[in-house]
Every structure is written in structure tokens, then in C-alpha cells.
Amino acid sequence: MIDEEVKAVVSAIIIVALVFAVSQMFLAERIVEPFSEIGLLGPKKKIGDYPREVIVGEPIKLYLYLGNHEGKVMYYVILVKLGNRSTFVNSTIPANAPVIDVYERILAHNETCLIPVILRINRTGINLRLIFEMWIYDENLELKYHGRWLQLWINVTKPR
Amino acid sequence: MCERLRALNALTLSMIIIVSLANFSKAQPSTTHLREKLLKAFLLTQEASKCGGNVTGLVLKLNKALEIIRAHERGLEVNVSEAERLIDEVLEEAPLVKEEGIRQSQFRFYVKVATVAGLIFLLVFVYVYLPRLFWRYWLKFKRNWVVRRP
């Protein structure tokens, strides 16, 4: 016969496992840490091969990667700004620089997308920064900075 | 006489052009108005998604409409009315998707509760009846066994 103590231990393990399984059933759909993704890919849709030296007016081909894991549909607006070495930008303050292009996309939860980006810069400069900022429309339909940004350093030269 | 006729023709033609242009601008909705509608449709879609509705189709339509609006804003020749039609469809469908989402969420919740109740019932059943059943069948299968004295 099975010892009473062994029986009690086995019962306790089964009950704990059961409670865990049931709690997972109810909590599985909950979003613990909502987040959004933004990434920049080179002209071959890979991380790398980014253009460093470009000619004024020449198209720069890139790909913008966006991902929504916020648990709801999101309306993303990506502002492309042209900054320089002294342009300040962080997760709370957007860059104070001219906007050279805008990309918009609405994404469902867990949806990602790749947007082809073609930019032209109309002035020369060394150590310029292409700053991509993620903005969103909030529940009051106001456009606000979402705190995600990335940058690409480039030198823009005159055609020879 | 001929010159008067020519002038009259030119006047008629210019009137036709002006009226057509006026009608054309009336037929093409402004992008500001469309953007407002798009944001409203987005908000409804977001609500539907929060309620667990399947918004894939709505998001596709919104993105298509957005693409058309942006193309129009960039000066490309596109049919802006198509964008308005898509947005109107989303405005119409989003509340239905939301309701369906609520219904699905409730159904999922009831299924979960039923599963938990079933598990608890099974557990109690096993705890109470399994030893009894086990020994009953054990005796049934081993009834022909003979116990020998060692």
C-alpha cells in the first residue's frame, strides 16, 4: 500500500501544478510589457550595408522595420529628420531638426512591417544624422512622441 | 456674325470647363476631411482590437486608405473617393467586429471556467472513487488466484 505521507506529497504536487496550469490559462493572453519596435535595414533588407557617403540629391534606399506589441492597434508616424552632430534627441525629447520625410502605418497587435524608404538630401555636410523618430496617435487622437528613435550617420558630398 | 458666334462658343466652352472643374473639386473629398475620418476609424478599430475582435481586415483597409491619401498629398493622381469608401467601410464594420470580439471573449472565458470546473470535478472524482474502483477491479481480475501458504 502507498504510504500516507507519500500520498500527501503527491497530492500537493498535483494541486500546485494544477493551480499553475489554470492560472496560465487565464493569464496567457495578458500583455505584461507592451512595446513597439523600430529598426533600420540597409538597401538589401539586412542589418548592415548602410550608406555612409552619399551625393546631394541622390536617392538613399533603406528599409524601415516596425513592430507592434502594444496589445492593441497602433497608428505609427515616423518622422525622418536631418540633424547634425549637435542635434539632441533622446527617449523623451524629440530632435529639433527639419523633417525631410514622413512615413505612416497602422499595425495590428503582433504585426510587423517593412517600409521601403527613399530619401534625398539637398545639402552637403559632414557627420549629418538621419534621425527616425517614432510618433503615435494616442487615445485623444493627438500625435505624440513615442520615445523610440534611431539614427544613421552620413556624409553628404557634391557630385564630382 | 461669325466672330460673335466664335466668341459665344469660346464663352460656352470656358463655362463648361469651369463647371466641370467645380464639380470635380466637389467630387474629390479633401484630404484634411479624410484624415479626420481616418483617425475616427482608427480609434474605432483600436477599441475593437481591445475588445478582442479580429481587426486584420479593418487594418488592411485603413492602410490602403492611408496610402491613397498620402499619394494624393504628394500630388499623384489617385482616386481619393476610393479612400473615403474604404474608411466608410471601416466605420461601418468596426462596431460589429467589436461586438463579435466581446462575444468571443465571453465565450473563451466560459470555456475556461468550464474547463477549471471540469478539472476540479475530475480531481474530486478521482480522489473519492479511484481507490474504491481500483480495488474493486483488482479483486474482479484476481478472483481466480489461490493464496498458498508459504
Side-chain angles (χ1 to χ4, degrees):
Chain A
M1 291 295 271
I2 303 168
D3 189 8
E4 281 298 313
E5 267 183 39
V6 174
K7 232 181 183 178
V9 169
V10 170
S11 304
I13 290 169
I14 290 171
I15 287 168
V16 168
L18 216 69
V19 168
F20 180 75
V22 168
S23 67
Q24 283 305 302
M25 236 168 76
F26 281 93
L27 298 175
E29 285 174 17
R30 215 165 275 184
I31 313 295
V32 182
E33 202 175 335
F35 66 98
S36 297
E37 297 172 290
I38 180 170
L40 194 65
L41 306 179
K44 292 172 187 166
K45 295 186 185 175
K46 287 180 180 169
I47 300 172
D49 293 334
Y50 298 108
R52 298 282 175 211
E53 306 285 331
V54 295
I55 294 164
V56 175
E58 195 182 65
I60 306 168
K61 286 180 188 168
L62 296 163
Y63 284 90
L64 195 61
Y65 167 83
L66 299 179
N68 174 16
H69 306 277
E70 298 277 350
K72 59 186 176 185
V73 175
M74 296 291 286
Y75 189 153
Y76 295 109
V77 178
I78 307 301
L79 300 184
V80 187
K81 297 179 177 177
L82 184 63
N84 54 30
R85 193 191 280 267
S86 61
T87 307
F88 180 79
V89 57
N90 68 11
S91 60
T92 50
I93 303 164
N96 183 17
V99 176
I100 58 167
D101 212 343
V102 179
Y103 294 89
E104 293 172 75
R105 191 59 68 97
I106 296 167
L107 291 182
H109 171 60
N110 269 345
E111 193 182 355
T112 60
C113 72
L114 212 54
I115 306 170
V117 172
I118 297 173
L119 299 167
R120 280 184 176 83
I121 299 169
N122 296 321
R123 70 177 179 93
T124 57
I126 301 296
N127 288 329
L128 295 180
R129 290 156 75 193
L130 277 175
I131 301 165
F132 294 79
E133 289 175 355
M134 182 183 260
W135 291 62
I136 55 160
Y137 277 103
D138 66 5
E139 273 147 20
N140 302 317
L141 294 180
E142 280 169 16
L143 190 63
K144 71 169 193 186
Y145 181 45
H146 197 45
R148 312 279 184 278
W149 64 281
L150 52 86
Q151 62 182 1
L152 182 69
W153 289 89
I154 48 164
N155 294 329
V156 185
T157 53
K158 280 182 189 167
R160 283 175 196 169
Chain B
M1 183 70 181
C2 191
E3 283 210 357
R4 274 184 68 187
L5 201 66
R6 207 175 289 161
L8 197 69
N9 277 347
L11 189 72
T12 315
L13 196 67
S14 40
M15 286 289 280
I16 288 169
I17 290 169
I18 289 165
V19 168
S20 316
L21 280 176
N23 281 338
F24 181 74
S25 65
K26 256 187 224 168
Q28 292 276 33
S30 74
T31 51
T32 320
H33 162 70
L34 278 181
R35 277 196 173 269
E36 278 169 15
K37 271 182 98 170
L38 181 89
L39 283 174
K40 199 179 159 195
F42 156 68
L43 210 60
L44 286 178
T45 309
Q46 196 178 51
E47 269 177 41
S49 81
K50 279 183 197 168
C51 293
N54 182 4
V55 293
T56 315
L58 301 181
V59 169
L60 270 173
K61 282 179 186 173
L62 285 177
N63 275 320
K64 184 72 194 155
L66 190 59
E67 214 173 276
I68 295 169
I69 293 169
R70 281 183 54 79
H72 183 70
E73 284 169 348
R74 287 184 178 197
L76 297 173
E77 263 191 39
V78 283
N79 185 7
V80 187
S81 308
E82 173 68 9
E84 189 164 37
R85 188 187 63 77
L86 288 166
I87 295 168
D88 284 339
E89 274 181 24
V90 173
L91 286 169
E92 207 173 288
E93 288 169 20
L96 302 176
V97 173
K98 183 183 170 181
E99 273 177 33
E100 184 59 30
I102 292 169
R103 238 193 325 269
Q104 290 284 330
S105 300
Q106 277 173 345
F107 178 71
R108 278 198 298 271
F109 177 75
Y110 293 141
V111 167
K112 280 175 191 171
V113 169
T115 310
V116 172
L119 271 172
I120 291 168
F121 173 77
L122 197 74
L123 215 69
V124 171
F125 182 84
V126 164
Y127 184 77
V128 174
Y129 292 104
L130 192 69
R132 216 182 290 177
L133 281 172
F134 175 78
W135 290 121
R136 184 184 292 172
Y137 282 102
W138 191 88
L139 284 172
K140 200 177 166 185
F141 287 120
K142 315 283 182 182
R143 66 180 166 215
N144 296 330
W145 281 24
V146 180
V147 181
R148 284 191 195 136
R149 189 182 292 174

